[in-house]
Amino acid sequence: QVQLVESGGGLVKPGGSLRLSCAASGFTFSDYYMSWFRQAPGKGLEWVSYISSSSDYTNYADSVKGRFTISRDNAKNSLYLQMNSLRAEDTAVYYCARDYGYSSSWDIFDYWGQGTLVTVSS
Amino acid sequence: EIVMTQSPATLSVSPGERATLSCRASQSLSSNLAWYQQKPGQAPRLLIYGASTRATGIPARFSGSESGTEFTLTISSLQSEDFAVYYCQQYNNWPLTFGGGTKVEIK
């Protein structure tokens, strides 16, 4: 069965960095676009970034552009989010999610991980 | 950026009753609207896409409709497992945006 497992969250000081990972299994990872989302405590969902199946295309929310970098390693079935210059407002649960489309971007998401909490605080 | 507005913020419904959730877009979406369900401590679950197409494995009591920039998610007869927060998401334009959510609670 499809599984997405995030890791790498934790407590970091403002201005610090973290790298999130998402381990995928149960499907051919290299065939799917992937995205990161986040959800601040008690708040709604926010799309953060996406990457195409072969890493040709990436896109970022304005709120993280220039600070976050999405990448993937298809040989390792893994998705990453490098987060630099972290701010208090980046505090959230971060989810990785699989795009519904096979080898294309439908921009809807049928499988999600359970999330990893990132807390930015001094 | 397309703004998505959901109403009401909270909906109190008795089990077995119908629930009607609304989502309004700030501009036309050409039916590029999805609905997700999220339970406490869990990841979102895709329910509906294309405004009215149920995702794989979603029960028939969930249905979606649209009228212009107004979208509706209807749960025909609420089951205990349906009490959750529901989000709409537009995918007509980047950035992808979500509504603020509607919490469906037990009356």
Side-chain angles (χ1 to χ4, degrees):
Chain A
Q1 72 281 21
V2 172
Q3 275 201 311
L4 298 169
V5 180
E6 301 94 339
S7 61
L11 175 63
V12 61
K13 290 181 168 52
S17 298
L18 273 180
R19 188 195 196 205
L20 306 183
S21 299
C22 170
S25 60
F27 66 103
T28 304
F29 180 69
S30 59
D31 285 339
Y32 290 85
Y33 286 52
M34 299 292 295
S35 277
W36 286 98
F37 294 83
R38 67 185 181 183
Q39 187 168 35
K43 302 298 185 183
L45 296 163
E46 179 187 14
W47 168 78
V48 173
S49 180
Y50 100 94
I51 187 167
S52 62
S53 52
S54 55
S55 303
D56 293 345
Y57 308 106
T58 60
N59 199 0
Y60 299 91
D62 284 346
S63 57
V64 307
K65 200 171 292 183
R67 301 186 299 122
F68 290 12
T69 302
I70 192 171
S71 63
R72 64 192 294 163
D73 185 335
N74 287 343
K76 294 183 177 180
N77 293 333
S78 292
L79 175 73
Y80 306 101
L81 186 68
Q82 177 67 43
M83 305 186 296
N84 298 331
S85 304
L86 283 161
R87 306 166 180 167
E89 54 265 36
D90 295 319
T91 294
V93 174
Y94 285 73
Y95 296 99
C96 63
R98 189 185 85 165
D99 194 290
Y100 183 78
Y102 176 79
S103 292
S104 63
S105 176
W106 280 47
D107 304 328
I108 55 176
F109 305 92
D110 58 350
Y111 287 95
W112 298 61
Q114 286 304 301
T116 186
L117 177 62
V118 172
T119 303
V120 184
S121 175
S122 53
Chain B
E1 174 174 316
I2 296 177
V3 177
M4 306 300 294
T5 304
Q6 289 187 245
S7 61
T10 303
L11 186 60
S12 298
V13 185
S14 299
E17 290 188 340
R18 173 186 296 256
T20 303
L21 289 67
S22 296
C23 174
R24 176 182 296 174
S26 60
Q27 58 186 268
S28 174
L29 299 183
S30 302
S31 301
N32 293 318
L33 187 283
W35 290 94
Y36 297 85
Q37 175 194 68
Q38 187 179 33
K39 297 180 181 179
Q42 296 187 18
R45 175 193 182 195
L46 178 65
L47 299 175
I48 300 280
Y49 63 93
S52 60
T53 302
R54 279 189 302 278
T56 303
I58 302 303
R61 64 180 182 273
F62 291 91
S63 63
S65 63
E66 66 177 301
S67 176
T69 58
E70 296 272 352
F71 298 83
T72 301
L73 174 69
T74 301
I75 311 171
S76 60
S77 177
L78 271 160
Q79 307 297 303
S80 57
E81 62 266 30
D82 300 335
F83 292 96
V85 179
Y86 293 83
Y87 294 97
C88 59
Q89 176 228 322
Q90 68 81 19
Y91 53 101
N92 197 60
N93 289 83
W94 291 94
L96 307 180
T97 50
F98 291 84
T102 291
K103 181 180 181 181
V104 177
E105 63 176 25
I106 301 175
K107 187 175 182 180

